[in-house]
Amino acid sequence: FEMLRIISMYLIVEHYFVVHGITQIGNTHGLTRLTMLLMQSGGKVGVNVFVMIGAYFLIEKNFKFSRVIKISLISIFYSWTIFMIFFLLGKIIVPYKWYEILIPVPGTYWFVGSYIVLMFASPILNKIINNLPKHQYKNMLFFLLFIWSIIPTFLISNMIDLGLSHSELGNSTVSSFVLDYLIIGYIKKYPNKYVESKKYSWLILLSGISIMILAFYFESFYMYENQLVSEYVNNFMNLNSFFEFWISAGLILVFKNITPFSNKFINIIAGSTFAVYLIHDNQFIRPMLWQKVNNVQYQSSIDFLINGLEISLLIFIICIVLDMIRRILLDNLFNSISQQIGNYLDKKIE
């Protein structure tokens, strides 16, 4: 799972290579468009997998404020440090609100805010997972998948007007994370021959990927000028897309069924993956970074893919190194503060 955590964050970085790059996917077609769609879709898979991995372990743990404090401290550290560096160098080129800098969670880091809400909700979700009868759990999961994933994936609002929006069905980043949590909870609580089998795990993963590739191929070569088809394809790449959940769960199953092993190097790298997001997608670094990368210069689909993967890997490595320096210098301090404040708050709510 630590290796999968690394892969999921790498997928998020290469997703941003496409999304925040200068090349507009709407102006492309053919192999270049297909390549960009595939790279873009990997980012939401990475987010869901990252949440699912966290859920896999939170399900068996009691809620601790120290975990929330630690995540918040790291987020605040990077938000304040990056702001001060850019401010002192006079390199701030985007508008900002002072309170978003002062309190970056849930301000500028949407993922952190949503994940912290999930952590606070985890005791309730754990009670549901542990106490709900299997048939009720399954029915609840199907219902939530229907309203939070299947409807937003396949229902185009400008084609079928039901007089409601997806948000009125309770859909949000938090609801997507809750669904990730409950999917993993069901997989852990009710193992069967499908989720325990390497063969079926690969079948689940590859079938989901194949459907996505076929949809992207059809749109990229034949229907890219059809607004309705393009809107469907965009829905397929949303965080709460049915296919994103499908592929994410498939990845979890594949790695869950790998023979367990321990590797110190992988564990060290995985410990800094969260910081990769905090650094490279910071609101001040983001515009400067992707302007410098300038993905317009890669004209062919092969060049775009190879350079995108290489640049994403370079960004990933640089962020990992930077966070390792922080961990060496400040991790003990952050752990101490988190434990002290966390233990105090834990006692207050006992």
Side-chain angles (χ1 to χ4, degrees), residues 268-313:
I268 291 172
I269 300 299
S272 287
T273 50
F274 176 59
V276 174
Y277 161 69
L278 296 176
I279 297 170
H280 94 282
D281 202 41
N282 176 274
Q283 63 176 325
F284 302 117
I285 288 181
R286 186 192 307 134
M288 179 200 70
L289 173 63
W290 299 117
Q291 287 287 329
K292 293 287 186 183
V293 168
N294 184 20
N295 61 11
V296 172
Q297 63 186 300
Y298 309 119
Q299 297 298 314
S300 73
S301 57
I302 295 297
D303 281 346
F304 193 93
L305 175 63
I306 293 175
N307 284 281
L309 295 177
E310 289 179 348
I311 290 168
S312 298
L313 180 60

Side-chain angles (χ1 to χ4, degrees), residues 182-243:
L182 293 174
I183 289 171
I184 291 302
Y186 191 87
I187 289 172
K188 285 198 73 173
K189 188 174 182 182
Y190 302 110
N192 55 53
K193 67 177 182 179
Y194 300 105
V195 301
E196 296 296 307
S197 164
K198 292 182 180 180
K199 180 179 70 174
Y200 283 117
S201 297
W202 276 106
L203 182 62
I204 291 169
L205 173 62
L206 295 178
S207 60
I209 293 174
S210 297
I211 292 172
M212 287 278 274
I213 291 175
L214 284 173
F216 292 161
Y217 178 85
F218 179 74
E219 194 268 356
S220 298
F221 283 89
Y222 303 107
M223 300 296 292
Y224 60 90
E225 293 181 343
N226 186 307
Q227 184 177 357
L228 185 61
V229 173
S230 294
E231 196 168 344
Y232 268 118
V233 167
N234 285 332
N235 280 5
F236 288 0
M237 296 187 292
N238 288 337
L239 180 66
N240 61 329
S241 161
F242 179 72
F243 297 106

Side-chain angles (χ1 to χ4, degrees), residues 3 21 44 54 79 92 110-111 134 159 165 179 211 219 226 228 251 255 271 279 281 286 306 327 337 341:
M3 184 166 63
K44 300 306 182 184
S79 180
I92 294 179
W110 70 267
F111 174 85
K134 183 178 180 179
M159 184 177 72
S165 66
L179 201 45
I211 292 172
E219 194 268 356
N226 186 307
L228 185 61
L251 268 172
F255 277 80
I279 297 170
D281 202 41
R286 186 192 307 134
I306 293 175
R327 288 167 66 185
I337 294 173
I341 298 177

